[in-house]
PDB file of all heavy atoms in Angstrom:
ATOM      1  N   LEU A  53      -2.077  15.922  -4.199  1.00 92.00           N
ATOM      2  CA  LEU A  53      -2.717  15.380  -2.998  1.00 92.00           C
ATOM      3  C   LEU A  53      -1.727  15.274  -1.834  1.00 92.00           C
ATOM      4  O   LEU A  53      -1.974  15.724  -0.736  1.00 92.00           O
ATOM      5  CB  LEU A  53      -3.272  13.994  -3.344  1.00 92.00           C
ATOM      6  CG  LEU A  53      -4.266  13.365  -2.388  1.00 92.00           C
ATOM      7  CD1 LEU A  53      -5.402  14.308  -2.084  1.00 92.00           C
ATOM      8  CD2 LEU A  53      -4.816  12.084  -2.992  1.00 92.00           C
ATOM      9  N   HIS A  54      -0.587  14.658  -2.091  1.00 92.00           N
ATOM     10  CA  HIS A  54       0.370  14.409  -1.017  1.00 92.00           C
ATOM     11  C   HIS A  54       1.528  15.405  -1.006  1.00 92.00           C
ATOM     12  O   HIS A  54       2.168  15.590   0.016  1.00 92.00           O
ATOM     13  CB  HIS A  54       0.940  12.987  -1.113  1.00 92.00           C
ATOM     14  CG  HIS A  54      -0.111  11.924  -1.078  1.00 92.00           C
ATOM     15  ND1 HIS A  54      -0.931  11.739   0.009  1.00 92.00           N
ATOM     16  CD2 HIS A  54      -0.488  11.006  -1.988  1.00 92.00           C
ATOM     17  CE1 HIS A  54      -1.763  10.742  -0.239  1.00 92.00           C
ATOM     18  NE2 HIS A  54      -1.518  10.272  -1.437  1.00 92.00           N
ATOM     19  N   PRO A  66       2.603  11.849 -14.422  1.00 97.00           N
ATOM     20  CA  PRO A  66       3.136  11.608 -13.082  1.00 97.00           C
ATOM     21  C   PRO A  66       2.663  10.280 -12.486  1.00 97.00           C
ATOM     22  O   PRO A  66       1.490   9.925 -12.602  1.00 97.00           O
ATOM     23  CB  PRO A  66       2.575  12.776 -12.265  1.00 97.00           C
ATOM     24  CG  PRO A  66       1.301  13.143 -12.949  1.00 97.00           C
ATOM     25  CD  PRO A  66       1.449  12.783 -14.395  1.00 97.00           C
ATOM     26  N   ILE A  72       4.415   1.946  -5.705  1.00 98.00           N
ATOM     27  CA  ILE A  72       3.609   1.935  -6.928  1.00 98.00           C
ATOM     28  C   ILE A  72       4.497   2.308  -8.122  1.00 98.00           C
ATOM     29  O   ILE A  72       4.403   1.713  -9.204  1.00 98.00           O
ATOM     30  CB  ILE A  72       2.403   2.881  -6.791  1.00 98.00           C
ATOM     31  CG1 ILE A  72       1.426   2.323  -5.743  1.00 98.00           C
ATOM     32  CG2 ILE A  72       1.694   3.095  -8.126  1.00 98.00           C
ATOM     33  CD1 ILE A  72       0.268   3.234  -5.367  1.00 98.00           C
ATOM     34  N   TYR A  76       5.369   0.041 -11.371  1.00 98.00           N
ATOM     35  CA  TYR A  76       5.188   0.614 -12.717  1.00 98.00           C
ATOM     36  C   TYR A  76       6.451   0.403 -13.556  1.00 98.00           C
ATOM     37  O   TYR A  76       6.387  -0.066 -14.698  1.00 98.00           O
ATOM     38  CB  TYR A  76       4.870   2.113 -12.601  1.00 98.00           C
ATOM     39  CG  TYR A  76       4.784   2.836 -13.931  1.00 98.00           C
ATOM     40  CD1 TYR A  76       3.620   2.785 -14.688  1.00 98.00           C
ATOM     41  CD2 TYR A  76       5.865   3.573 -14.421  1.00 98.00           C
ATOM     42  CE1 TYR A  76       3.541   3.444 -15.914  1.00 98.00           C
ATOM     43  CE2 TYR A  76       5.789   4.236 -15.645  1.00 98.00           C
ATOM     44  CZ  TYR A  76       4.628   4.170 -16.383  1.00 98.00           C
ATOM     45  OH  TYR A  76       4.547   4.823 -17.592  1.00 98.00           O
ATOM     46  N   GLU A  79       6.793  -3.088 -14.647  1.00 97.00           N
ATOM     47  CA  GLU A  79       5.826  -3.488 -15.673  1.00 97.00           C
ATOM     48  C   GLU A  79       6.142  -2.866 -17.034  1.00 97.00           C
ATOM     49  O   GLU A  79       5.938  -3.482 -18.069  1.00 97.00           O
ATOM     50  CB  GLU A  79       4.394  -3.137 -15.226  1.00 97.00           C
ATOM     51  CG  GLU A  79       3.912  -4.053 -14.103  1.00 97.00           C
ATOM     52  CD  GLU A  79       2.652  -3.573 -13.394  1.00 97.00           C
ATOM     53  OE1 GLU A  79       2.066  -2.555 -13.832  1.00 97.00           O
ATOM     54  OE2 GLU A  79       2.255  -4.211 -12.408  1.00 97.00           O
ATOM     55  N   TYR A  91       2.979 -16.885  -9.118  1.00 97.00           N
ATOM     56  CA  TYR A  91       2.013 -15.931  -8.566  1.00 97.00           C
ATOM     57  C   TYR A  91       2.026 -15.911  -7.044  1.00 97.00           C
ATOM     58  O   TYR A  91       1.849 -14.865  -6.421  1.00 97.00           O
ATOM     59  CB  TYR A  91       0.591 -16.244  -9.058  1.00 97.00           C
ATOM     60  CG  TYR A  91       0.489 -16.254 -10.556  1.00 97.00           C
ATOM     61  CD1 TYR A  91      -0.175 -17.269 -11.236  1.00 97.00           C
ATOM     62  CD2 TYR A  91       1.090 -15.244 -11.318  1.00 97.00           C
ATOM     63  CE1 TYR A  91      -0.249 -17.279 -12.611  1.00 97.00           C
ATOM     64  CE2 TYR A  91       1.026 -15.252 -12.697  1.00 97.00           C
ATOM     65  CZ  TYR A  91       0.351 -16.275 -13.344  1.00 97.00           C
ATOM     66  OH  TYR A  91       0.275 -16.297 -14.708  1.00 97.00           O
ATOM     67  N   TYR A  92       2.249 -17.077  -6.447  1.00 97.00           N
ATOM     68  CA  TYR A  92       2.289 -17.127  -4.990  1.00 97.00           C
ATOM     69  C   TYR A  92       3.498 -16.352  -4.467  1.00 97.00           C
ATOM     70  O   TYR A  92       3.402 -15.568  -3.526  1.00 97.00           O
ATOM     71  CB  TYR A  92       2.311 -18.575  -4.477  1.00 97.00           C
ATOM     72  CG  TYR A  92       2.259 -18.638  -2.980  1.00 97.00           C
ATOM     73  CD1 TYR A  92       1.082 -18.335  -2.294  1.00 97.00           C
ATOM     74  CD2 TYR A  92       3.395 -18.936  -2.238  1.00 97.00           C
ATOM     75  CE1 TYR A  92       1.035 -18.343  -0.905  1.00 97.00           C
ATOM     76  CE2 TYR A  92       3.360 -18.942  -0.853  1.00 97.00           C
ATOM     77  CZ  TYR A  92       2.179 -18.642  -0.189  1.00 97.00           C
ATOM     78  OH  TYR A  92       2.137 -18.635   1.180  1.00 97.00           O
ATOM     79  N   ARG A  94       4.988 -13.941  -5.939  1.00 97.00           N
ATOM     80  CA  ARG A  94       4.722 -12.514  -6.158  1.00 97.00           C
ATOM     81  C   ARG A  94       3.889 -11.939  -5.011  1.00 97.00           C
ATOM     82  O   ARG A  94       4.149 -10.834  -4.524  1.00 97.00           O
ATOM     83  CB  ARG A  94       3.961 -12.303  -7.475  1.00 97.00           C
ATOM     84  CG  ARG A  94       4.784 -12.535  -8.710  1.00 97.00           C
ATOM     85  CD  ARG A  94       3.888 -12.763  -9.914  1.00 97.00           C
ATOM     86  NE  ARG A  94       3.407 -11.538 -10.488  1.00 97.00           N
ATOM     87  CZ  ARG A  94       4.038 -10.864 -11.436  1.00 97.00           C
ATOM     88  NH1 ARG A  94       5.189 -11.300 -11.902  1.00 97.00           N
ATOM     89  NH2 ARG A  94       3.517  -9.764 -11.931  1.00 97.00           N
ATOM     90  N   GLN A  96       3.787 -13.063  -1.988  1.00 98.00           N
ATOM     91  CA  GLN A  96       4.663 -12.970  -0.809  1.00 98.00           C
ATOM     92  C   GLN A  96       5.551 -11.735  -0.914  1.00 98.00           C
ATOM     93  O   GLN A  96       5.766 -11.023   0.066  1.00 98.00           O
ATOM     94  CB  GLN A  96       5.551 -14.221  -0.697  1.00 98.00           C
ATOM     95  CG  GLN A  96       4.788 -15.509  -0.438  1.00 98.00           C
ATOM     96  CD  GLN A  96       3.783 -15.358   0.675  1.00 98.00           C
ATOM     97  OE1 GLN A  96       4.126 -15.111   1.823  1.00 98.00           O
ATOM     98  NE2 GLN A  96       2.506 -15.458   0.346  1.00 98.00           N
ATOM     99  N   ARG A  98       4.948  -8.958  -2.531  1.00 98.00           N
ATOM    100  CA  ARG A  98       4.121  -7.746  -2.294  1.00 98.00           C
ATOM    101  C   ARG A  98       3.817  -7.603  -0.811  1.00 98.00           C
ATOM    102  O   ARG A  98       3.781  -6.489  -0.276  1.00 98.00           O
ATOM    103  CB  ARG A  98       2.830  -7.827  -3.108  1.00 98.00           C
ATOM    104  CG  ARG A  98       3.053  -7.648  -4.591  1.00 98.00           C
ATOM    105  CD  ARG A  98       1.753  -7.646  -5.365  1.00 98.00           C
ATOM    106  NE  ARG A  98       2.002  -7.418  -6.778  1.00 98.00           N
ATOM    107  CZ  ARG A  98       1.563  -8.195  -7.758  1.00 98.00           C
ATOM    108  NH1 ARG A  98       0.839  -9.280  -7.477  1.00 98.00           N
ATOM    109  NH2 ARG A  98       1.844  -7.931  -9.009  1.00 98.00           N
ATOM    110  N   PHE A  99       3.570  -8.724  -0.134  1.00 98.00           N
ATOM    111  CA  PHE A  99       3.281  -8.695   1.298  1.00 98.00           C
ATOM    112  C   PHE A  99       4.449  -8.087   2.069  1.00 98.00           C
ATOM    113  O   PHE A  99       4.268  -7.196   2.910  1.00 98.00           O
ATOM    114  CB  PHE A  99       3.001 -10.116   1.808  1.00 98.00           C
ATOM    115  CG  PHE A  99       2.790 -10.187   3.295  1.00 98.00           C
ATOM    116  CD1 PHE A  99       1.532  -9.992   3.833  1.00 98.00           C
ATOM    117  CD2 PHE A  99       3.856 -10.410   4.161  1.00 98.00           C
ATOM    118  CE1 PHE A  99       1.316 -10.037   5.213  1.00 98.00           C
ATOM    119  CE2 PHE A  99       3.660 -10.452   5.547  1.00 98.00           C
ATOM    120  CZ  PHE A  99       2.385 -10.267   6.063  1.00 98.00           C
ATOM    121  N   ASP A 102       4.986  -4.441   1.374  1.00 98.00           N
ATOM    122  CA  ASP A 102       3.950  -3.694   2.094  1.00 98.00           C
ATOM    123  C   ASP A 102       4.285  -3.602   3.586  1.00 98.00           C
ATOM    124  O   ASP A 102       4.084  -2.561   4.225  1.00 98.00           O
ATOM    125  CB  ASP A 102       2.598  -4.388   1.884  1.00 98.00           C
ATOM    126  CG  ASP A 102       1.461  -3.691   2.604  1.00 98.00           C
ATOM    127  OD1 ASP A 102       1.120  -2.559   2.228  1.00 98.00           O
ATOM    128  OD2 ASP A 102       0.929  -4.271   3.571  1.00 98.00           O
ATOM    129  N   PHE A 103       4.848  -4.686   4.145  1.00 98.00           N
ATOM    130  CA  PHE A 103       5.273  -4.687   5.553  1.00 98.00           C
ATOM    131  C   PHE A 103       6.354  -3.621   5.769  1.00 98.00           C
ATOM    132  O   PHE A 103       6.284  -2.831   6.718  1.00 98.00           O
ATOM    133  CB  PHE A 103       5.819  -6.074   5.937  1.00 98.00           C
ATOM    134  CG  PHE A 103       6.367  -6.152   7.329  1.00 98.00           C
ATOM    135  CD1 PHE A 103       5.540  -6.390   8.420  1.00 98.00           C
ATOM    136  CD2 PHE A 103       7.725  -5.978   7.570  1.00 98.00           C
ATOM    137  CE1 PHE A 103       6.045  -6.452   9.718  1.00 98.00           C
ATOM    138  CE2 PHE A 103       8.250  -6.028   8.859  1.00 98.00           C
ATOM    139  CZ  PHE A 103       7.396  -6.266   9.938  1.00 98.00           C
ATOM    140  N   LYS A 106       4.742  -0.243   5.697  1.00 96.00           N
ATOM    141  CA  LYS A 106       3.904   0.078   6.869  1.00 96.00           C
ATOM    142  C   LYS A 106       4.749   0.317   8.109  1.00 96.00           C
ATOM    143  O   LYS A 106       4.369   1.086   8.984  1.00 96.00           O
ATOM    144  CB  LYS A 106       2.957  -1.085   7.193  1.00 96.00           C
ATOM    145  CG  LYS A 106       1.698  -1.206   6.358  1.00 96.00           C
ATOM    146  CD  LYS A 106       0.903  -2.411   6.892  1.00 96.00           C
ATOM    147  CE  LYS A 106      -0.507  -2.539   6.439  1.00 96.00           C
ATOM    148  NZ  LYS A 106      -0.713  -2.989   5.082  1.00 96.00           N
TER     149      LYS A 106
ATOM    150  N   TYR B  54       0.259 -10.288  11.175  1.00 97.00           N
ATOM    151  CA  TYR B  54      -0.795  -9.352  11.562  1.00 97.00           C
ATOM    152  C   TYR B  54      -1.949 -10.010  12.316  1.00 97.00           C
ATOM    153  O   TYR B  54      -2.717  -9.339  12.987  1.00 97.00           O
ATOM    154  CB  TYR B  54      -1.371  -8.636  10.329  1.00 97.00           C
ATOM    155  CG  TYR B  54      -0.365  -7.814   9.570  1.00 97.00           C
ATOM    156  CD1 TYR B  54      -0.037  -8.134   8.260  1.00 97.00           C
ATOM    157  CD2 TYR B  54       0.248  -6.702  10.152  1.00 97.00           C
ATOM    158  CE1 TYR B  54       0.880  -7.372   7.546  1.00 97.00           C
ATOM    159  CE2 TYR B  54       1.163  -5.939   9.446  1.00 97.00           C
ATOM    160  CZ  TYR B  54       1.473  -6.284   8.141  1.00 97.00           C
ATOM    161  OH  TYR B  54       2.381  -5.532   7.428  1.00 97.00           O
ATOM    162  N   ARG B  65      -1.803 -22.711   0.995  1.00 98.00           N
ATOM    163  CA  ARG B  65      -0.766 -21.665   1.101  1.00 98.00           C
ATOM    164  C   ARG B  65      -1.452 -20.324   1.317  1.00 98.00           C
ATOM    165  O   ARG B  65      -2.331 -19.940   0.544  1.00 98.00           O
ATOM    166  CB  ARG B  65       0.109 -21.636  -0.144  1.00 98.00           C
ATOM    167  CG  ARG B  65       0.903 -22.925  -0.320  1.00 98.00           C
ATOM    168  CD  ARG B  65       2.080 -22.757  -1.247  1.00 98.00           C
ATOM    169  NE  ARG B  65       1.700 -22.359  -2.594  1.00 98.00           N
ATOM    170  CZ  ARG B  65       2.579 -22.245  -3.601  1.00 98.00           C
ATOM    171  NH1 ARG B  65       3.857 -22.493  -3.389  1.00 98.00           N
ATOM    172  NH2 ARG B  65       2.171 -21.862  -4.779  1.00 98.00           N
ATOM    173  N   PRO B  66      -1.073 -19.610   2.402  1.00 98.00           N
ATOM    174  CA  PRO B  66      -1.805 -18.393   2.743  1.00 98.00           C
ATOM    175  C   PRO B  66      -1.337 -17.169   1.960  1.00 98.00           C
ATOM    176  O   PRO B  66      -0.139 -16.978   1.747  1.00 98.00           O
ATOM    177  CB  PRO B  66      -1.476 -18.203   4.232  1.00 98.00           C
ATOM    178  CG  PRO B  66      -0.158 -18.873   4.425  1.00 98.00           C
ATOM    179  CD  PRO B  66      -0.025 -19.948   3.398  1.00 98.00           C
ATOM    180  N   GLU B  69      -3.409  -9.734   3.381  1.00 98.00           N
ATOM    181  CA  GLU B  69      -3.588  -8.334   2.973  1.00 98.00           C
ATOM    182  C   GLU B  69      -4.544  -8.234   1.791  1.00 98.00           C
ATOM    183  O   GLU B  69      -4.255  -8.723   0.683  1.00 98.00           O
ATOM    184  CB  GLU B  69      -2.269  -7.634   2.635  1.00 98.00           C
ATOM    185  CG  GLU B  69      -1.361  -7.435   3.835  1.00 98.00           C
ATOM    186  CD  GLU B  69      -1.998  -6.593   4.931  1.00 98.00           C
ATOM    187  OE1 GLU B  69      -2.163  -5.372   4.743  1.00 98.00           O
ATOM    188  OE2 GLU B  69      -2.337  -7.158   5.993  1.00 98.00           O
ATOM    189  N   ILE B  72      -3.588  -7.261  -1.794  1.00 98.00           N
ATOM    190  CA  ILE B  72      -2.614  -8.208  -2.320  1.00 98.00           C
ATOM    191  C   ILE B  72      -3.350  -9.489  -2.727  1.00 98.00           C
ATOM    192  O   ILE B  72      -3.051 -10.098  -3.762  1.00 98.00           O
ATOM    193  CB  ILE B  72      -1.492  -8.482  -1.290  1.00 98.00           C
ATOM    194  CG1 ILE B  72      -0.662  -7.205  -1.115  1.00 98.00           C
ATOM    195  CG2 ILE B  72      -0.607  -9.648  -1.724  1.00 98.00           C
ATOM    196  CD1 ILE B  72       0.384  -7.257  -0.013  1.00 98.00           C
ATOM    197  N   TYR B  76      -3.509 -11.268  -6.375  1.00 98.00           N
ATOM    198  CA  TYR B  76      -3.192 -12.693  -6.514  1.00 98.00           C
ATOM    199  C   TYR B  76      -4.313 -13.410  -7.268  1.00 98.00           C
ATOM    200  O   TYR B  76      -4.054 -14.196  -8.188  1.00 98.00           O
ATOM    201  CB  TYR B  76      -2.988 -13.320  -5.127  1.00 98.00           C
ATOM    202  CG  TYR B  76      -2.760 -14.803  -5.183  1.00 98.00           C
ATOM    203  CD1 TYR B  76      -1.509 -15.317  -5.509  1.00 98.00           C
ATOM    204  CD2 TYR B  76      -3.801 -15.699  -4.921  1.00 98.00           C
ATOM    205  CE1 TYR B  76      -1.298 -16.695  -5.570  1.00 98.00           C
ATOM    206  CE2 TYR B  76      -3.599 -17.069  -4.989  1.00 98.00           C
ATOM    207  CZ  TYR B  76      -2.348 -17.560  -5.311  1.00 98.00           C
ATOM    208  OH  TYR B  76      -2.144 -18.920  -5.377  1.00 98.00           O
ATOM    209  N   GLU B  79      -4.183 -12.549 -10.957  1.00 97.00           N
ATOM    210  CA  GLU B  79      -3.073 -13.154 -11.710  1.00 97.00           C
ATOM    211  C   GLU B  79      -3.237 -14.658 -11.850  1.00 97.00           C
ATOM    212  O   GLU B  79      -2.820 -15.239 -12.849  1.00 97.00           O
ATOM    213  CB  GLU B  79      -1.735 -12.850 -11.022  1.00 97.00           C
ATOM    214  CG  GLU B  79      -1.336 -11.386 -11.173  1.00 97.00           C
ATOM    215  CD  GLU B  79      -0.020 -11.040 -10.496  1.00 97.00           C
ATOM    216  OE1 GLU B  79       0.407 -11.781  -9.574  1.00 97.00           O
ATOM    217  OE2 GLU B  79       0.575 -10.017 -10.872  1.00 97.00           O
ATOM    218  N   PRO B  92      -0.069  -0.248 -17.903  1.00 97.00           N
ATOM    219  CA  PRO B  92       0.696  -0.009 -16.666  1.00 97.00           C
ATOM    220  C   PRO B  92       0.399   1.330 -16.005  1.00 97.00           C
ATOM    221  O   PRO B  92       0.379   1.419 -14.776  1.00 97.00           O
ATOM    222  CB  PRO B  92       2.162  -0.070 -17.132  1.00 97.00           C
ATOM    223  CG  PRO B  92       2.138  -0.907 -18.363  1.00 97.00           C
ATOM    224  CD  PRO B  92       0.824  -0.629 -19.028  1.00 97.00           C
ATOM    225  N   TYR B  93       0.127   2.383 -16.795  1.00 98.00           N
ATOM    226  CA  TYR B  93      -0.143   3.682 -16.182  1.00 98.00           C
ATOM    227  C   TYR B  93      -1.497   3.654 -15.466  1.00 98.00           C
ATOM    228  O   TYR B  93      -1.628   4.116 -14.333  1.00 98.00           O
ATOM    229  CB  TYR B  93      -0.115   4.814 -17.225  1.00 98.00           C
ATOM    230  CG  TYR B  93      -0.242   6.178 -16.575  1.00 98.00           C
ATOM    231  CD1 TYR B  93       0.833   6.724 -15.879  1.00 98.00           C
ATOM    232  CD2 TYR B  93      -1.445   6.891 -16.620  1.00 98.00           C
ATOM    233  CE1 TYR B  93       0.725   7.958 -15.247  1.00 98.00           C
ATOM    234  CE2 TYR B  93      -1.563   8.120 -15.986  1.00 98.00           C
ATOM    235  CZ  TYR B  93      -0.479   8.643 -15.303  1.00 98.00           C
ATOM    236  OH  TYR B  93      -0.594   9.852 -14.674  1.00 98.00           O
ATOM    237  N   ARG B  95      -2.885   1.021 -14.269  1.00 98.00           N
ATOM    238  CA  ARG B  95      -2.701   0.181 -13.085  1.00 98.00           C
ATOM    239  C   ARG B  95      -2.117   0.994 -11.941  1.00 98.00           C
ATOM    240  O   ARG B  95      -2.550   0.873 -10.796  1.00 98.00           O
ATOM    241  CB  ARG B  95      -1.731  -0.972 -13.396  1.00 98.00           C
ATOM    242  CG  ARG B  95      -2.316  -2.056 -14.248  1.00 98.00           C
ATOM    243  CD  ARG B  95      -1.210  -2.843 -14.919  1.00 98.00           C
ATOM    244  NE  ARG B  95      -0.738  -3.914 -14.088  1.00 98.00           N
ATOM    245  CZ  ARG B  95      -1.166  -5.168 -14.183  1.00 98.00           C
ATOM    246  NH1 ARG B  95      -2.070  -5.504 -15.075  1.00 98.00           N
ATOM    247  NH2 ARG B  95      -0.684  -6.088 -13.396  1.00 98.00           N
ATOM    248  N   ALA B  96      -1.121   1.828 -12.270  1.00 98.00           N
ATOM    249  CA  ALA B  96      -0.495   2.657 -11.240  1.00 98.00           C
ATOM    250  C   ALA B  96      -1.531   3.609 -10.626  1.00 98.00           C
ATOM    251  O   ALA B  96      -1.543   3.806  -9.403  1.00 98.00           O
ATOM    252  CB  ALA B  96       0.672   3.446 -11.831  1.00 98.00           C
ATOM    253  N   ARG B  99      -3.861   1.627  -8.369  1.00 98.00           N
ATOM    254  CA  ARG B  99      -3.182   1.279  -7.113  1.00 98.00           C
ATOM    255  C   ARG B  99      -3.055   2.515  -6.216  1.00 98.00           C
ATOM    256  O   ARG B  99      -3.208   2.431  -5.007  1.00 98.00           O
ATOM    257  CB  ARG B  99      -1.790   0.703  -7.396  1.00 98.00           C
ATOM    258  CG  ARG B  99      -1.823  -0.717  -7.923  1.00 98.00           C
ATOM    259  CD  ARG B  99      -0.435  -1.183  -8.318  1.00 98.00           C
ATOM    260  NE  ARG B  99      -0.430  -2.588  -8.689  1.00 98.00           N
ATOM    261  CZ  ARG B  99       0.284  -3.087  -9.679  1.00 98.00           C
ATOM    262  NH1 ARG B  99       1.065  -2.304 -10.402  1.00 98.00           N
ATOM    263  NH2 ARG B  99       0.233  -4.373  -9.963  1.00 98.00           N
ATOM    264  N   TYR B 100      -2.773   3.653  -6.831  1.00 97.00           N
ATOM    265  CA  TYR B 100      -2.616   4.909  -6.095  1.00 97.00           C
ATOM    266  C   TYR B 100      -3.898   5.256  -5.358  1.00 97.00           C
ATOM    267  O   TYR B 100      -3.899   5.547  -4.162  1.00 97.00           O
ATOM    268  CB  TYR B 100      -2.251   6.015  -7.095  1.00 97.00           C
ATOM    269  CG  TYR B 100      -2.233   7.403  -6.511  1.00 97.00           C
ATOM    270  CD1 TYR B 100      -1.083   7.891  -5.881  1.00 97.00           C
ATOM    271  CD2 TYR B 100      -3.356   8.225  -6.579  1.00 97.00           C
ATOM    272  CE1 TYR B 100      -1.058   9.165  -5.352  1.00 97.00           C
ATOM    273  CE2 TYR B 100      -3.328   9.495  -6.036  1.00 97.00           C
ATOM    274  CZ  TYR B 100      -2.182   9.967  -5.435  1.00 97.00           C
ATOM    275  OH  TYR B 100      -2.161  11.229  -4.911  1.00 97.00           O
ATOM    276  N   TYR B 104      -4.891   5.430  -1.370  1.00 97.00           N
ATOM    277  CA  TYR B 104      -5.502   6.625  -0.778  1.00 97.00           C
ATOM    278  C   TYR B 104      -6.763   6.242   0.006  1.00 97.00           C
ATOM    279  O   TYR B 104      -6.977   6.686   1.130  1.00 97.00           O
ATOM    280  CB  TYR B 104      -5.873   7.643  -1.877  1.00 97.00           C
ATOM    281  CG  TYR B 104      -6.735   8.768  -1.333  1.00 97.00           C
ATOM    282  CD1 TYR B 104      -6.153   9.824  -0.631  1.00 97.00           C
ATOM    283  CD2 TYR B 104      -8.123   8.743  -1.456  1.00 97.00           C
ATOM    284  CE1 TYR B 104      -6.935  10.823  -0.091  1.00 97.00           C
ATOM    285  CE2 TYR B 104      -8.910   9.743  -0.909  1.00 97.00           C
ATOM    286  CZ  TYR B 104      -8.320  10.772  -0.232  1.00 97.00           C
ATOM    287  OH  TYR B 104      -9.106  11.764   0.323  1.00 97.00           O
ATOM    288  N   LEU B 138     -12.733  13.909  -3.851  1.00 97.00           N
ATOM    289  CA  LEU B 138     -11.525  13.497  -4.581  1.00 97.00           C
ATOM    290  C   LEU B 138     -11.778  12.179  -5.306  1.00 97.00           C
ATOM    291  O   LEU B 138     -11.357  11.993  -6.451  1.00 97.00           O
ATOM    292  CB  LEU B 138     -10.353  13.322  -3.615  1.00 97.00           C
ATOM    293  CG  LEU B 138      -9.781  14.610  -3.028  1.00 97.00           C
ATOM    294  CD1 LEU B 138      -8.765  14.278  -1.944  1.00 97.00           C
ATOM    295  CD2 LEU B 138      -9.119  15.461  -4.096  1.00 97.00           C
TER     296      LEU B 138
END
Side-chain angles (χ1 to χ4, degrees):
Chain A
L53 195 52
H54 303 297
I72 292 173
Y76 175 82
E79 288 167 5
Y91 303 134
Y92 184 72
R94 289 161 82 89
Q96 295 312 296
R98 289 184 178 127
F99 176 87
D102 180 67
F103 176 85
K106 280 182 166 75
Chain B
Y54 299 117
R65 296 199 299 185
E69 293 300 289
I72 292 173
Y76 176 80
E79 289 180 338
Y93 186 74
R95 286 159 87 96
R99 285 174 174 141
Y100 172 86
Y104 169 80
L138 289 172

